[in-house]
Amino acid sequence: MHPMAARARRVQGQGASGTIGRAFKARLQSVRSANITDREHTLKLNPTTALSALATALTVYLASPAWAALDIGEKAPDFTVPAALAGKQYSYSLAESLAKGPVVLYFFPAAFSVGCSAEAHEFAEAIGKYEALGASVIGVSTDDIETQTKFSMQSCQGKFPVASDAGKTVIKSYDAAMMILPDYANRVSYVIGPDQKVLYSYQSLNPSKHVEKTLAALQGWEKAKGGK
């Protein structure tokens, strides 16, 4: 599909999904305000609230078309953003990270929501596998740096950094804003090569596949590189 036609369809979708979007935003905010425990790095949510939020989100996304983000082989926009790793704030530079190896850049809607906490936990558990492939991981959302600092210690378990893109500059440059809620990032993962080219991208509301898919993409890239 031509890019302009795709963007036109996005605008139409935003208008049609306005009511559902407001409902999802309200649910998202209610989930984020749930009690969080530090000991197990899990969310203690009322099951009805959690399931309702997820059902609303699934309804929205299943009713809307899936949109590809940046194309494979396209140059990934460089950026420098405030980030936090294991509770410590610093300035994250994509260029500096790429100088050390490939980067898995994943966007997520909101820290401490059910899906985003589960996804961060999976990335944290798999960080050794990424490092074995010479890769690093960075998560990005519109949450402020104070929230990301807490998130980096809890769901991320201090294993990888998360960045604050409150101004949505990075999110927009990667075409990663939610169609129905542009103030939030969509759940999109990128694998970016050391040459700053997009090797792989994956977009899905389901948080459980992003680690699996990005690891497989890195393994494929490593294999192809070794065969040259």
Side-chain angles (χ1 to χ4, degrees), residues 134-150:
S136 60
V137 175
I138 176 75
V140 178
S141 73
T142 59
D143 293 287
D144 59 43
I145 190 60
E146 287 75 21
T147 299
Q148 298 292 48
T149 300
K150 297 174 185 177

Side-chain angles (χ1 to χ4, degrees), residues 81-94:
V81 287
L85 173 61
K88 297 182 179 180
Q89 297 179 17
Y90 72 108
S91 180
Y92 175 91
S93 166
L94 177 64

